[in-house]
Amino acid sequence: MKKFISLFRALIKNWFRSKSGVFFSFLFPVMLLLIFSTVFGGQESVEYTLHVQNNDLVERYEFSLDQNYTRYLENGTVHEEMREAFEEKDHTISPDASMSKTGDKSWEINDNDRWYGLEENETKIDVYTLGDQVTCLSENFTKGLRKTETLDIVTLDRDVNVTEYFEDDTSFGESRRALIISRGFQEKALDKSMELRMKVIQDTMDRIGDQYDMNESEEENFTERQEMVDRWANRTKTGESAEVLLLTSEGDQVAPIIEGTVYGVVNNFNQRMMGVEDSTVEVESESIGRKDLEGADYYLPGLIAAFIMTNGIIGVTGTISEYKRNGTLKRLISTPLTKANWIFANVAQQTVLAFLLTGVMVLLGVVVFGVQVYPNLYALGFIFVGAVAFCSVGIVLGGLIKDVEAANGAGNAIAFPMMFLSGAFWPLERMPSYMQSVAKVLPLYYFHRGLTEIMILQDPSGAVVPFLIISVFGVIFMILATKVTRWKDM
Amino acid sequence: MAEHVIEVEDLTKNYGDVTAIDGVSFSVNEGEIFSLVGPNGAGKTTTVEILECLREPTSGKAKVLGHDIRKEEMKIKEQIGVMPQDFNTFDRLTAKENIKLAADIYDKSGAEEIIKKVGVKEFENKRFEDLSGGMKTRVGIGMALVSDAPLLFLDEPTTGLDPQARRETWSLIKGLKRMNKTVFLTTHYMEEVEELSDRAAVIIDGDIKITDSISNLIERYGGGVKITASKEKGAEELIKKNSDEVTEEDKDELTGIFEDREKARKTLISLFKKDCNVSVEEAGMDEVFLELAGGKLTEEGELA
C-alpha cells in the first residue's frame, strides 16, 4: 500500500507541476465552459439582424394636367408633349423615362429614381409623386417583424442600393440580410385582401345555400343577395399579391431561421388583412416533467465528461509513452513496484483529477451561470467509473504504442472525434441522423448523458443504462490494460 | 549470503533472429566492483537488465543473491539497487522527492542520510529537470543506494558526463565499495574500469571474451611495459639486453618493450641508478581491449 500511495503522490505532484498539463486539463475546460455557456447559452434570446428597406410610400398629389393629355397616355417612352407639360409644372422628365399602364385609369412614369402616378378623372389627369411617409400597412408589417424576438430590425434608407451597400461594406459579415418592401405594397395588399374577402363571402354563401333548408321566400331573398354579392365580386379588382423581397447571403447559416420568422409574420399579416383576429389553433408551450436544459446546464456535464475522457485518453497515453521513452518507467520497473501498483496509481491519479475538474467546473457553473447542480453519491460514482474507464484506454494505448508521437497521435485520433461526435458540445438533435447513430456507439455519449441525468436532471434512474455501459467498457479496458502493460521486456 | 552474489551460466538472449548475448557465463564476488566492458551493442545492457529482472533470458541460468532470476523476481528486486542506462525519473519532482519516493518503494527510511552521502543535499530542492548531468547521476545513485541493497547495478553511470562530473561519480562509486556494497558496473570507458574495478569481463558481440582481475588482464593482454630512454650512460645496452623487443623512432632514443613486468621493474631501477633520462608507458585496459577486440573504443563507445 505504501508503494502505491507513494507512486500515486509522485504522479499527482509531477502532473500538477506541469503547466501545460494543468492548462489543458483544468483551465482549458473552464475556458470552454465560459465561452460555450456565454456565447451559445445565454439567458437572453438570440437576435439576428435583418435590414428592412420600406419603399412603399404614401402618394402625394402634385398637380393636374388637362384632359387633352389623355391621348399621350401610352406604354413606352413619355411623349414629348407630356414632358413639356410636366416641365411647365417644374417637374423635368428625362427622355429615357418610361410610361406604363397600372390599372383601368392609372398610369405611372418611372424616371430613374423618380416616380409619378397618373390618375385619369373625367375632366383632368391628376399627377402624384411619392411623399416622405411610408404607408400604414407597410409600417405595420415592419412593426410585426420588429415584434418578433428573433429579429433585430435595422432600417435602410430608400436611396440605398442594397446589393451594392452590402458589397461595399464587409463589416456586415454574415448579417447581410435584407427585406425590401416594394412600392405599392399597401395598395396590392388591400386589393388582394378585398378580392379574397369577396371570394370567402361567395364561398360562404354557396355553403349556406347547400347546407340549409329554406322556404320559398327565404330562398328568393337569399338568391337576390347572392347575386348582389357576385356583382360586387366582379367589380372587385383582381391582381398580384403584395410582395416583399428577402435577400440573404449564400452560406448564411441562420437564413432558414430568418425565412421562417418572416413567413410567420407574413401569415399573421395575411390573417389580419382577412379580418381574422383569433386563431383557430393556439400553441401553448410548457416543459413537461423534466427540466429544460439551458446553455450551461447542457455544457457543464458535457464538458466535464469530455475532459475526463481527454485527460484519460490523451493525457495518460502521452504520459505513459513519455515515461517509457525517457526511462522513468524502466527505473520504476527495476524496483519492487508491481504492475498493479503502476496501473492503480495511474487510475487513482486520474480519478482525483476527475473529481477536482468536476469540482472546479461545477463551482464555476453554479457561481457564474447559476446552474442548478445536484451533487450526490451517484454523480461521484459515475465520475469514478468514467475516470477509470477512460484512463484504462490511455493505459492500453500507452502500453501498446512505443513511439511517443504515435501514442499522442493515436490518443488525439480517438479522443477528438469522440469529443465532437458524441453530442458533448452540442445537442445531438442538431446533428444529421447518421451522425446521431454514430454518437450512440461512443462511450462518451453515455458518459455525458448519464452525468446530465444525475447532476442536472436529478434523475439517477435515467443514468442506469449509461452507467452499466461505461462500467462494462471500463472493465474491458481495465483487463486489456493489465494485459498490454509490459512489466518485462518492454 | 552466497559467496558469489551473481552467478551466470550460459545465458542467452535473442531478439527475433538477433542474438544479443550468446551463452555468457561469469560470476561476481561479494564486495567487489565488477565491470562489464564492451562497445555499444555488445550486450552489456541486455545482460544487466536480465540480472535486474527487466528482461527474460531466452536460455541459460542466473542467480542474483542466491535467487533464481526466473522464479524469484520480486525477492531480487527487493535486494538490489538499480541505476539504469540513461537514467531518468519524475522530472518535475525535486531531487529529494525522487530519493524519498525510492525509499518509500523499498520501504526504507534512510533517505536523508543518503541525500547527504551522495552529495545531493546542496541541490535537494531543485527539480530533477533542472539538474546537470552529474547531479542527475548523483540522484540516480542515491535512488539505487536508498534501497539499502547489498548489490547495486550501475548501467553506464558516467556516459555523457563531463570529465569533472565523471571523476566525482567515480569517487562516489569508490565510496560504495567502502560501504561494503557489491557493484555491477557496465561501461565502455577503459579508464573507468581501471580506476574503479576489481574485476572485469570483456564482452564483444554478445560473447564474454575474458573475465579476470584488472591486473591480470593487463598483465596477460596489455602487451607489456614500454621503457624509453636516451642512448647514453649505457642505457642502450641495458634495454637491448633485457627487453623483448626494441624500437628506435628517434636517433637519440630507443624504446624497449618488456613482457615480463619484473624484468621491466629491475631494468628501470638500473636506469634510474645510472641517472638516465627515462620514461615509462605502462599498458592498460585500452591495450587489453585492443588485444581482445582488435580495436579501441571511442568516447561514444564505438569500436574503432
Side-chain angles (χ1 to χ4, degrees), chain B residues 9-294:
Chain B
E9 194 183 326
D10 205 18
L11 205 60
T12 297
K13 176 71 179 177
N14 298 327
Y15 296 108
D17 295 337
V18 179
T19 300
I21 55 170
D22 188 11
V24 301
S25 300
F26 61 89
S27 59
V28 177
N29 301 323
E30 186 182 354
E32 72 176 356
I33 297 181
F34 182 89
S35 290
L36 187 60
V37 191
N40 293 340
K44 301 190 296 291
T45 296
T46 299
T47 306
V48 79
E49 288 187 352
I50 288 173
L51 298 176
E52 291 165 356
C53 303
L54 294 178
R55 295 191 186 278
E56 192 75 32
T58 306
S59 63
K61 292 179 190 170
K63 281 188 174 183
V64 175
L65 297 163
H67 302 294
D68 190 322
I69 56 162
R70 293 176 195 269
K71 295 174 188 163
E72 297 169 291
E73 190 177 310
M74 195 49 77
K75 280 185 181 169
I76 292 172
K77 284 184 175 180
E78 282 167 356
Q79 293 180 63
I80 61 172
V82 173
M83 182 179 160
Q85 190 180 25
D86 300 326
F87 161 73
N88 223 322
T89 184
F90 293 106
D91 54 0
R92 287 182 289 276
L93 296 194
T94 64
K96 185 180 182 177
E97 286 168 338
N98 271 304
I99 292 175
K100 280 198 158 185
L101 168 66
D104 287 342
I105 289 172
Y106 287 100
D107 203 11
K108 302 287 178 187
S109 56
E112 286 293 343
E113 193 187 337
I114 295 298
I115 285 170
K116 285 179 196 160
K117 267 187 187 164
V118 295
V120 168
K121 190 73 187 169
E122 58 194 279
F123 56 86
E124 65 177 1
N125 292 320
K126 267 190 161 183
R127 285 188 187 185
F128 186 77
E129 63 187 352
D130 297 328
L131 302 181
S132 68
M135 289 170 171
K136 285 181 175 176
T137 303
R138 283 172 180 272
V139 174
I141 291 174
M143 289 178 77
L145 205 53
V146 81
S147 62
D148 197 23
L151 172 60
L152 302 176
F153 288 93
L154 308 179
D155 192 2
E156 307 218 15
T158 60
T159 300
L161 298 186
D162 60 60
Q164 191 189 337
R166 190 174 293 167
R167 293 208 165 270
E168 285 171 6
T169 306
W170 289 353
S171 159
L172 213 55
I173 295 171
K174 283 177 188 169
L176 298 178
K177 187 174 165 66
R178 287 195 292 275
M179 292 159 71
N180 296 320
K181 306 286 182 191
T182 305
V183 179
F184 189 104
L185 183 73
T186 69
T187 183
H188 60 256
Y189 297 125
M190 294 304 147
E191 195 185 355
E192 190 165 287
V193 177
E194 282 181 54
E195 181 75 23
L196 299 176
S197 313
D198 300 305
R199 293 195 311 132
V202 177
I203 184 166
I204 295 161
D205 293 334
D207 182 29
I208 289 190
K209 300 292 182 190
I210 186 86
T211 305
D212 210 335
S213 68
I214 303 304
S215 55
N216 283 349
L217 284 173
I218 292 171
E219 194 160 327
R220 283 169 65 188
Y221 301 100
V225 179
K226 288 179 182 175
I227 298 176
T228 304
S230 305
K231 292 177 181 173
E232 56 182 3
K233 300 174 187 173
E236 187 176 2
E237 292 74 28
L238 194 61
I239 287 174
K240 281 182 176 172
K241 182 182 160 199
N242 291 340
S243 67
D244 300 300
E245 190 183 337
V246 175
T247 58
E248 292 182 47
E249 288 173 6
D250 191 303
K251 65 181 169 89
D252 298 325
E253 281 184 352
L254 83 166
T255 300
I257 299 170
F258 296 78
E259 299 294 342
D260 185 341
R261 288 180 160 250
E262 188 54 32
K263 215 170 184 180
R265 191 180 67 81
K266 284 178 178 168
T267 307
L268 200 58
I269 291 168
S270 302
L271 288 169
F272 283 147
K273 281 180 179 170
K274 289 174 184 282
D275 198 22
C276 293
N277 192 8
V278 177
S279 67
V280 182
E281 192 182 327
E282 207 170 352
M285 282 301 291
D286 272 329
E287 283 71 25
V288 173
F289 203 82
L290 183 65
E291 178 69 19
L292 291 170

Side-chain angles (χ1 to χ4, degrees), chain A residues 349-464:
Chain A
Q349 180 216 14
Q350 283 303 312
T351 306
V352 168
L353 292 186
F355 285 142
L356 284 176
L357 173 69
T358 307
V360 171
M361 298 282 273
V362 165
L363 191 68
L364 189 76
V366 171
V367 173
V368 180
F369 298 106
V371 179
Q372 270 194 304
V373 183
Y374 303 95
N376 50 47
L377 282 177
Y378 295 112
L380 290 179
F382 201 22
I383 287 166
F384 170 72
V385 169
V388 172
F390 291 113
C391 175
S392 301
V393 178
I395 295 173
V396 169
L397 290 176
L400 283 175
I401 304 169
K402 283 190 173 177
D403 182 62
V404 179
E405 282 72 28
N408 285 333
N412 287 329
I414 293 171
F416 275 99
M418 181 145 58
M419 195 154 63
F420 291 109
L421 294 178
S422 66
F425 286 176
W426 42 72
L428 273 193
E429 292 73 18
R430 290 187 194 167
M431 291 161 62
S433 58
Y434 68 94
M435 296 291 250
Q436 293 184 28
S437 307
V438 171
K440 286 172 186 169
V441 298
L442 300 174
L444 183 58
Y445 167 76
Y446 296 98
F447 191 32
H448 79 76
R449 284 298 297 252
L451 281 183
T452 305
E453 297 283 350
I454 297 171
M455 292 171 67
I456 307 294
L457 300 173
Q458 213 180 353
D459 180 17
S461 65
V464 171

Side-chain angles (χ1 to χ4, degrees), chain A residues 198 201-202 205 220-236:
Chain A
M198 291 309 294
I201 294 168
Q202 283 178 300
M205 293 197 81
E220 192 179 327
N221 196 9
F222 180 78
T223 308
E224 190 184 322
R225 287 171 191 276
Q226 198 173 20
E227 284 169 359
M228 190 175 72
V229 168
D230 289 342
R231 278 199 303 277
W232 279 106
N234 289 335
R235 290 172 63 180
T236 306

Side-chain angles (χ1 to χ4, degrees), chain A residues 201-211 222 226 230:
Chain A
I201 294 168
Q202 283 178 300
D203 183 58
T204 309
M205 293 197 81
D206 288 346
R207 282 169 188 263
I208 291 169
D210 291 343
Q211 288 186 8
F222 180 78
Q226 198 173 20
D230 289 342

Side-chain angles (χ1 to χ4, degrees), chain A residues 168-440:
Chain A
D168 291 347
D169 192 344
T170 53
S171 66
F172 289 106
E174 283 194 354
S175 67
R176 280 183 283 184
R177 311 177 198 105
L179 183 130
I180 300 171
I181 302 172
S182 310
R183 186 165 47 74
F185 174 87
Q186 175 169 283
E187 193 180 345
K188 283 180 181 171
L190 286 171
D191 288 349
K192 196 69 185 176
S193 141
M194 186 56 79
E195 180 189 338
L196 293 174
R197 279 174 187 244
M198 291 309 294
K199 279 185 181 166
V200 170
I201 294 168
Q202 283 178 300
D203 183 58
T204 309
M205 293 197 81
D206 288 346
R207 282 169 188 263
I208 291 169
D210 291 343
Q211 288 186 8
Y212 295 97
D213 292 332
M214 299 180 207
N215 58 33
E216 196 173 332
S217 150
E218 282 173 335
E219 193 169 343
E220 192 179 327
N221 196 9
F222 180 78
T223 308
E224 190 184 322
R225 287 171 191 276
Q226 198 173 20
E227 284 169 359
M228 190 175 72
V229 168
D230 289 342
R231 278 199 303 277
W232 279 106
N234 289 335
R235 290 172 63 180
T236 306
K237 275 194 203 172
T238 56
E240 297 168 355
S241 303
E243 281 183 354
V244 291
L245 177 62
L246 179 61
L247 299 170
T248 54
S249 53
E250 200 174 333
D252 185 350
Q253 301 283 318
V254 296
I257 299 172
I258 306 284
E259 282 170 17
T261 310
V262 171
Y263 280 128
V265 173
V266 166
N267 283 337
N268 198 24
F269 190 81
N270 282 336
Q271 287 189 1
R272 295 295 171 99
M273 288 297 290
M274 294 294 292
V276 179
E277 295 292 332
D278 296 328
S279 305
T280 51
V281 179
E282 287 283 351
V283 178
E284 196 174 338
S285 172
E286 68 177 47
S287 54
I288 47 168
R290 298 156 71 97
K291 186 182 172 198
D292 288 346
L293 293 182
E294 287 170 359
D297 292 338
Y298 188 86
Y299 294 122
L300 182 66
L303 286 172
I304 289 173
F307 280 92
I308 288 175
M309 183 274 293
T310 55
N311 285 347
I313 296 184
I314 299 177
V316 173
T317 305
T319 307
I320 288 182
S321 54
E322 177 60 20
Y323 285 155
K324 273 166 71 177
R325 186 196 63 79
N326 72 13
T328 302
L329 190 55
K330 190 192 274 186
R331 175 73 190 81
L332 293 172
I333 294 174
S334 68
T335 70
L337 271 179
T338 61
K339 192 201 292 191
N341 288 147
W342 169 247
I343 290 174
F344 288 126
N346 272 285
V347 168
Q349 180 216 14
Q350 283 303 312
T351 306
V352 168
L353 292 186
F355 285 142
L356 284 176
L357 173 69
T358 307
V360 171
M361 298 282 273
V362 165
L363 191 68
L364 189 76
V366 171
V367 173
V368 180
F369 298 106
V371 179
Q372 270 194 304
V373 183
Y374 303 95
N376 50 47
L377 282 177
Y378 295 112
L380 290 179
F382 201 22
I383 287 166
F384 170 72
V385 169
V388 172
F390 291 113
C391 175
S392 301
V393 178
I395 295 173
V396 169
L397 290 176
L400 283 175
I401 304 169
K402 283 190 173 177
D403 182 62
V404 179
E405 282 72 28
N408 285 333
N412 287 329
I414 293 171
F416 275 99
M418 181 145 58
M419 195 154 63
F420 291 109
L421 294 178
S422 66
F425 286 176
W426 42 72
L428 273 193
E429 292 73 18
R430 290 187 194 167
M431 291 161 62
S433 58
Y434 68 94
M435 296 291 250
Q436 293 184 28
S437 307
V438 171
K440 286 172 186 169

